Amino acid sequence: MHCLRFSIVISGLFCLGAVAPAAAQDHAQHEQEVAASASPQAPAQGWPTDAPLRAGMANVRTSVEALRHLEMGHMSRQQALAEVGMIDQSIDHIIANCKLDPGADSVLHQVIAKLVHGSAGLKSDLKDKAAMAELRAALLDYQRLFNDPGWDSRNAVE
């Protein structure tokens, strides 16, 4: 019985030895990809968009603009949470339906990460100014990085 356990343990260690370098290599490659995408860049004309991305980001922008009323004290908690919920629904819609090339998709993930973080911050504290700033920064990144014909400087969120 002890020999069987010992051989299972030894076999497991050999398997781990074979897998660990591959996992370490995958992790190192992932870290390089993350570092390369830390400061997102766009082609001269901006990354191309598709209809689900444009619609989702337009909805996010509308909700972020509506949340200005929260900052001015003219919006109830219930209304504010409904707008944050719309942001979350728009993010979910983008994730489920948007189909971009790998470069654009990688950059979009960074925009979405800011949106998710900002939304989570507001759900925790509706007075979180940093969360609002993060949502606005994500919208400005989207405007700067993506070619959305319906989105121009007149539509920017300040």
Side-chain angles (χ1 to χ4, degrees):
M1 184 72 164
H2 290 287
C3 289
L4 179 59
R5 273 193 223 155
F6 180 74
S7 66
I8 290 171
V9 168
I10 294 299
S11 296
L13 290 175
F14 282 120
C15 287
L16 285 175
V19 172
Q25 184 178 7
D26 288 345
H27 180 71
Q29 182 178 356
H30 175 71
E31 290 299 318
Q32 289 172 350
E33 290 169 1
V34 169
S37 64
S39 57
Q41 300 296 318
Q45 298 299 328
W47 291 105
T49 58
D50 63 7
L53 176 57
R54 290 188 297 271
M57 290 305 292
N59 290 337
V60 169
R61 181 182 61 217
T62 299
S63 290
V64 171
E65 288 171 351
L67 287 168
R68 285 180 189 243
H69 295 286
L70 173 68
E71 293 175 298
M72 294 183 283
H74 303 145
M75 181 180 273
S76 73
R77 175 177 173 73
Q78 199 170 24
Q79 291 170 317
L81 289 173
E83 291 298 338
V84 173
M86 290 301 296
I87 292 169
D88 290 343
Q89 287 177 11
S90 297
I91 293 167
D92 291 345
H93 176 78
I94 291 168
I95 291 169
N97 298 293
C98 182
K99 306 291 184 231
L100 301 177
D101 69 48
D105 189 61
S106 174
V107 172
L108 178 60
H109 282 234
Q110 294 176 44
V111 172
I112 288 176
K114 283 184 180 180
L115 292 173
V116 168
H117 192 258
S119 172
L122 286 179
K123 283 188 270 190
S124 293
D125 178 6
L126 286 173
K127 295 179 182 181
D128 186 346
K129 291 180 193 251
M132 282 301 304
E134 192 152 26
L135 290 172
R136 288 190 180 107
L139 292 174
L140 289 171
D141 285 350
Y142 176 75
Q143 177 184 354
R144 177 176 58 88
L145 297 167
F146 288 89
N147 181 9
D148 183 336
W151 194 300
D152 60 28
S153 60
R154 292 172 290 157
N155 297 18
V157 174
E158 298 174 19

